[in-house]
Amino acid sequence: MKKRLLTGLQPSGELTIGNYIGSIRQVANYQDEYETFLFVPDMHSITVPQDPETLHRRVREIVGMYIACGVSPTENHIYIQSEIPWHANLSWILECHSYMGEMSRMTQFKAKSEGKKEIGCGLFTYPILMAADILLYNADVVPTGADQKQHVELARNLAQRFNKKYGETFVVPEPLIPKFGAKIRDLLDPTKKMSKSAENPKASIFLNDPEKAIRKKIMGAVTDSGEGVVFDEENKPGVSNLLTIYSCFSNMPIADAEKHFEGARYGDLKKEVAEVVVEALTKLQDKYADVMKSGIVDETLDRGRDEANAIAHETYEKARKVVGLGRV
Ligand code: ATP
Ligand code: LTN
């Protein structure tokens, strides 16, 4: 039997090339090796204020984009978190087995609540909901960015704690570090990662950006002092980021890309980077438009909901019974 892989991509902003390289394309690479669970964690997104209409729209867009990027809508379980009631139910049981101390150490919570007067409780308990997302499906591996590793660690701890107290109930998940890990950085501040919720839209390339905007943003990317197109993240973070983007979109190893740009000026580098990104994203956008027109998103989500619901319900029932809730 194939091992199970599970991951979620929050509908917290328009998708960027960082999400594409770091997450969506990875899933497309893994789907043959693993039984894959891919879901939209919309319940996580409301830990911070959201516009309801935008949230509805983004949920479907993310699924459409996954399919356009080559994630098979029939071979994988693709679903929306909020359509499966067992996430919130299991989350409550797990909450009652979590400690204030361990939750207070979560760095993302500390970062997101810093300086805020009113801090939503959901922001604090979010990692427990994430543990429920993972444990409900007995996931073996969870691909994550570095920022989510601590949350997967909590899911492991909760699974172990629960199994010890009540007997084997959950599979203990492992974080999975991407095989071809590349971090795409902010175009205007390459010390930060490119992010879908960045304040300045010029800092990120969105998967749905028109050609003109893509070229403009890349030509306006911050480069470094001096000359020479070399990969040196410490001294030339801007140039290194552009080289990374080039390498990812042209499928050329960084070292070969460096050779390719030997003697080139920063302007030449930017033009070529823009070229490969425009080519890839234009194709992607055409596919995406077809997907969104086809009705496949809702078909996929209906099927995914039914499959996921059956699996999650079974796990939830086990957990519910061993802790003594309801009837045997
Ligand atoms: P937000 O701004 O809402 O925090 P984000 O764009 O930073 O969103 P996440 O939703 O935290 O992205 O991450 C979703 C997935 O995309 C994760 O697997 C993460 O590793 C990947 N990812 C996000 N940004 C990048 C990036 N700049 N480079 C590589 N991978 C990325
Ligand atoms: N917290 C994650 C999204 C997420 C997730 C999950 C990822 C929610 N539940 C379960 C993997 C497994 C994020 O913000 N990137």
Side-chain angles (χ1 to χ4, degrees), residues 6-8 10 39 41 44 126 130 133-134 142-144 148 151:
L6 176 142
T7 194
Q10 275 203 59
F39 72 105
H44 278 90
Y126 158 126
M130 180 161 159
D133 298 339
I134 298 169
V142 181
T144 55
Q148 296 298 315
H151 296 163

Side-chain angles (χ1 to χ4, degrees), residues 7-24 26 41 45 66 108 112 126 143-148 178 181-186 192-198 241:
T7 194
L9 189 56
Q10 275 203 59
S12 53
E14 308 302 322
L15 295 172
T16 70
I17 58 168
N19 299 127
Y20 173 65
I21 300 296
S23 176
I24 304 179
Q26 303 285 344
S45 297
Y66 268 120
Q108 192 177 61
K112 288 200 173 179
Y126 158 126
T144 55
D147 59 326
Q148 296 298 315
K183 188 167 169 184
I184 309 295
R185 295 170 180 279
D186 186 292
K192 293 197 300 204
K193 77 163 190 162
M194 186 182 285
S195 156
K196 54 178 140 58
S197 55
N241 190 34

Side-chain angles (χ1 to χ4, degrees), residues 172-211:
V172 180
E174 299 277 349
L176 181 76
I177 308 304
K179 272 187 206 156
F180 319 100
K183 188 167 169 184
I184 309 295
R185 295 170 180 279
D186 186 292
L187 294 178
L188 300 180
D189 177 1
T191 59
K192 293 197 300 204
K193 77 163 190 162
M194 186 182 285
S195 156
K196 54 178 140 58
S197 55
E199 265 161 40
N200 189 342
K202 290 186 188 147
S204 310
I205 299 173
F206 301 106
L207 296 182
N208 269 327
D209 268 345
E211 176 175 347

